[in-house]
Amino acid sequence: MRGRGYEQGFDQFWTFFEIEKVWGPLQWTGWGTALDGLTIRKVRHFDGDTDAQVATERALDWLDAAPEPFFLYVHYFDPHWPYRPPGEDDDCLVNDIKGSGITRGEMMFQDAIPQAEDERAAALYAGEVVYNLDHVGRLLDALDAQGLTENTLVVFTADHGHHLGDHDYA
């Protein structure tokens, strides 16, 4: 989010809050997200936490007119909780623990959810991984199509993974 220092050093900086398509002047603020919360997701056309397509399309538009040399940083937020891959039913206890009386800590470290629910969460997470990889691939294909691959360093990294059954947790 803008204002937390992440935009320092960039000539251009966009966040999901600035590229989402909400009404008029709200599209350039975080108010779209606030209104979305109050209206039960009636304002935003995508889940700002999980949409690699939107980030990739903005990056591809920028890349078409990129200066040389260029630095492009694309922060994909999916796969990430809540797990909502496109085309999948997200009916899963892991996505809706608020109404269950189970905390995320209990869910992760005390095996507080049934194995079938954990397996459903892992399947949704895997769907988000595939979706994200498809869009990273689109970006890499664009670099190749524009003849930029030979002189471009691509770094792909992650901050953490979700356990989903690993390390003897849930």
Side-chain angles (χ1 to χ4, degrees):
M1 189 180 301
R2 186 179 296 278
R4 296 184 181 182
Y6 295 114
E7 70 275 13
Q8 294 178 12
F10 290 95
D11 293 331
Q12 295 179 347
F13 181 86
W14 300 285
T15 70
F16 278 115
F17 303 111
E18 294 168 328
I19 61 177
E20 63 189 353
K21 295 178 180 170
V22 296
W23 174 79
L26 294 179
Q27 76 183 63
W28 303 112
T29 72
W31 282 101
T33 300
L35 286 173
D36 188 49
L38 294 173
T39 61
I40 312 172
R41 297 197 178 278
K42 300 290 184 196
V43 175
R44 292 165 59 184
H45 74 292
F46 69 92
D47 182 344
D49 291 335
T50 55
D51 202 325
Q53 178 179 347
V54 174
T56 300
E57 287 172 3
R58 178 52 78 112
L60 292 174
D61 288 345
W62 182 87
L63 193 58
D64 285 340
E68 288 190 28
F70 69 89
F71 175 79
L72 172 64
Y73 172 82
V74 182
H75 185 121
Y76 290 103
F77 205 71
D78 47 341
H80 202 278
W81 182 85
Y83 309 124
R84 294 187 184 114
E88 288 281 337
D89 178 6
D90 66 350
D91 184 23
C92 173
L93 179 60
V94 173
N95 281 347
D96 191 29
I97 60 171
K98 291 179 184 174
S100 70
I102 300 171
T103 68
R104 288 185 72 192
E106 290 171 329
M107 177 188 71
M108 289 187 288
F109 303 113
Q110 296 177 9
D111 297 334
I113 63 171
Q115 183 176 352
E117 289 292 325
D118 195 48
E119 290 170 2
R120 177 70 178 136
L124 291 170
Y125 180 81
E128 286 197 342
V129 169
V130 170
Y131 179 70
N132 195 80
L133 289 175
D134 287 346
H135 290 287
V136 170
R138 287 179 56 212
L139 186 56
L140 295 176
D141 288 345
L143 289 171
D144 195 38
Q146 293 182 25
L148 298 170
T149 306
E150 298 268 336
N151 294 317
T152 301
L153 174 66
V154 175
V155 178
F156 187 87
T157 186
D159 60 345
H160 61 85
H162 290 254
H163 65 84
L164 299 172
D166 294 341
H167 310 294
D168 296 324
Y169 299 142

